[in-house]
Structures are given as C-alpha cells and as structure tokens.
Amino acid sequence: MKGRPVTRTPEELRYTEEHEWVRRTSPTAVRVGITDYAQSQLGDVVFVQLPDVDNDVTVGDSIAEVESTKSVSDIYAPLSGKVVAVNEDLVQSPETLNTDPYEAGWLFELAFDDEATLDSVLGELLDAAGYQGVIGG
C-alpha cells in the first residue's frame, strides 16, 4: 500500500498478538522484545521499565512498561518462565527500541525447565505470516 510504513517481520521469530517477538537463544531460553510494528505505533520511546531478574512470570502477565511521547504501554509475558536477564542498556538508551527493535532493543530473557516444554509453548505463538495477518500486512 502506498504511504503505509513497511514493517519488518523476521521469519525466524515467533510473535504474539500483543506485538512481542520471541527468539530462541538456547534449548531452554528465549529473548523477548517488541516488534517493529509496535515501536512504530508507539512513536519515540523515552522510558523503559524492565522486569526483575529471577522473577517467575506467567503468560499474559504485565511484566514491563514502555513509555513513549504518545503513551505508556504494558509489555506482557509471551510465555510462562523465569526472567534470567534484562537489557540494562535500554534504561540509559530507551530509543534503541525504535532504532533496532530486533537486536540491540531486546527487553528480557526467559528460561524454561526443559527443551520439550519450550518447544510446546513456542508452537503456540504466531509465525511471521500469522503476525502479518494480525497487523494487516
């Protein structure tokens, strides 16, 4: 469509309808961030509140917050697991969510008890084509 921004949706990631992406980083861990579409809808990100490391989270819980010049948005846990890392760089440079949402702009990492559990829950998330359907791509 003419005049509509192009949204990057990497094929290797999984997605939620709430606009989070999930990348498997090991057999039992994932990295989570917000999608290119989400950051474009937010506008200029000015503040990020990250979850606490070692917190157990449940899918659907509001566990982080992103504030932009337009609004404040909750970030939801895309899967149930334990927070094992957060991207501290975002505290000083929240605009990274706008400039590099799929690499340097990651939010947090979750760990799982075993590979089979992670395989199962990842299978429930959207693939790139499914996410494009959600955002009208």
Side-chain angles (χ1 to χ4, degrees):
M1 283 183 202
K2 195 166 184 127
R4 183 164 182 214
V6 175
T7 300
R8 292 185 308 121
T9 310
E11 292 288 328
E12 71 275 11
L13 303 179
R14 304 299 285 185
Y15 300 89
T16 70
E17 290 188 8
E18 290 76 30
H19 312 292
E20 290 97 16
W21 58 259
V22 177
R23 172 183 288 126
R24 190 176 209 148
T25 56
S26 78
T28 59
V30 297
R31 183 169 274 182
V32 179
I34 65 170
T35 65
D36 189 35
Y37 176 82
Q39 71 79 22
S40 71
Q41 296 299 302
L42 284 168
D44 294 333
V45 175
V46 296
F47 177 77
V48 177
Q49 178 184 348
L50 299 168
D52 293 327
V53 173
D54 291 330
N55 273 6
D56 288 318
V57 298
T58 302
V59 65
D61 285 354
S62 173
I63 64 168
E65 200 171 81
V66 174
E67 184 177 335
S68 72
T69 55
K70 291 182 183 179
S71 66
V72 176
S73 296
D74 288 328
I75 304 298
Y76 300 97
L79 307 166
S80 297
K82 180 183 280 292
V83 178
V84 293
V86 296
N87 187 352
E88 295 288 351
D89 293 342
L90 291 179
V91 174
Q92 296 301 317
S93 302
E95 68 278 1
T96 305
L97 282 174
N98 294 117
T99 59
D100 195 8
Y102 294 117
E103 295 297 333
W106 64 276
L107 294 168
F108 54 88
E109 294 182 352
L110 298 175
F112 302 84
D113 292 334
D114 60 78
E115 191 172 347
T117 299
L118 183 52
D119 287 343
S120 174
V121 294
L122 282 175
E124 296 172 11
L125 297 178
L126 299 167
D127 62 10
Y131 182 67
Q132 282 289 327
V134 168
I135 62 173

